[in-house]
Amino acid sequence: MKTHSIALLPGDGIGRPVTEAAWAVLQATAKASGFALEGTTFPWSCDFYRQTGVMMPTDGIETLRRFDAILLGAVGWPAEVPDSVSLHGLLLPIRKAFTQYANIRPHRLLPGVPGPLKSDTFDILCIRENTEGEYSGAGGRVHQGTADEVAIETCIFTRKGVERILRFGFEQARVRRGKLASVTKSNAQKHTMVFWDEITRELAAEYPDIEVTSYHIDAMAARMIMAPETLDVVVASNLFGDILTDLGAAIQGGLGFAASANINPDRTAPSMFEPVHGSAPDIAHLGIANPIAAIWSGAMMLDHLGERDAAARVLAAIEATTKDGIGTIPGKDKTEATTRAVLERL
């Protein structure tokens, strides 16, 4: 029997129950599909930071490297640990160390989920550059706490980084509906974003079968609201992709439905899969976190591992669950009830 080794990082807040829910569904699917998932849980989180002073041990990256994939719940507890510490101490180092340069987030309405827009036929795949750009971490502060304080944050865009994420987007468009939207703000950012636009045009010549359109970030935000059905694959920088995918989550019914994958397309290191919703400290103790985004992320993990039939079964079970009105309204159903419904529909 084929076995996939999975590192489980439940993290903080609702990350723990939704990871438990996703893992139960994935285990049931694996058993029914003739393969095995072997999970190892790591306690790295803000609570771990409070106890040790670090978000993960110094050998954390090398520990994770031996796994086939990583399933993450959520990271962050701002009342206890600043987000800048938790993010740069766990999530970003994993993405960068394992060259997970393609962050993939699907946005479409599941059956039975009430969306806020008139349109309900959209199916958008947002691809966010995941390792450089605005989140490179280059910069600093001087004269802190004085009237002369200066803070500098430097965006770093490399030709290699921009070209590979755009090429990934073109390839995704080729297997979908043949449309690519490239997002920048080149009218205002005349160096990095003009650079991105130039590389988009260069690569477009290699993909004559793909309809390519360049948008400014503000125009894209408006289009996702007014005409989301016109979009197919959307490619954006680290910051712009981060913002647009929360907007995408909103139009698909909320963060409880927003799945994501941090992909190493070259498969030289494990990829990581996580729901977008964060740790939600305000509801972490209520047992009402929607596990669908985590389960959907698990389905994306199975697909990446080559278990495509099993991934399709999980997604079909999610759709059957929401079609019956379970897990469709934030806070209406308990985490356990939604999980049980998905398991029953497998």
Side-chain angles (χ1 to χ4, degrees), residues 228-300:
E229 70 282 354
T230 66
L231 299 169
D232 181 18
V233 176
V234 175
V235 184
S237 68
N238 215 330
L239 173 62
F240 290 170
D242 195 0
I243 295 168
L244 286 177
T245 50
D246 268 22
L247 179 57
I251 66 174
Q252 72 181 115
L255 288 169
F257 306 104
S260 79
N262 303 275
I263 298 295
N264 174 319
D266 301 326
R267 296 178 183 268
T268 56
S271 294
M272 180 167 60
F273 303 82
E274 57 170 321
V276 175
H277 51 56
S279 61
D282 57 326
I283 65 167
H285 62 293
L286 299 178
I288 58 172
N290 192 338
I292 286 178
I295 298 170
W296 192 344
S297 298
M300 295 176 75

Side-chain angles (χ1 to χ4, degrees), residues 148-195:
D148 297 317
E149 184 169 1
V150 177
I152 297 175
E153 196 86 34
T154 303
C155 303
I156 297 178
F157 288 82
T158 65
R159 176 169 286 272
K160 178 180 179 180
V162 175
E163 183 173 316
R164 69 187 180 186
I165 194 64
L166 283 167
R167 193 177 294 280
F168 185 87
F170 274 105
E171 294 294 337
Q172 293 297 309
R174 180 167 276 175
V175 298
R176 283 172 53 95
R177 302 192 304 277
K179 297 171 65 177
L180 179 78
S182 175
V183 182
T184 66
K185 188 61 176 172
S186 51
N187 59 339
Q189 295 176 287
K190 64 180 183 179
H191 301 301
T192 56
M193 297 286 95
V194 169
F195 177 59

Side-chain angles (χ1 to χ4, degrees), residues 12 15 63 117 127 150 158 165 206 220 231 235 269 282 326 328:
D12 300 298
T63 299
L117 304 182
I127 298 173
V150 177
T158 65
I165 194 64
E206 300 180 28
M220 174 53 69
L231 299 169
V235 184
D282 57 326
I326 302 171
T328 59

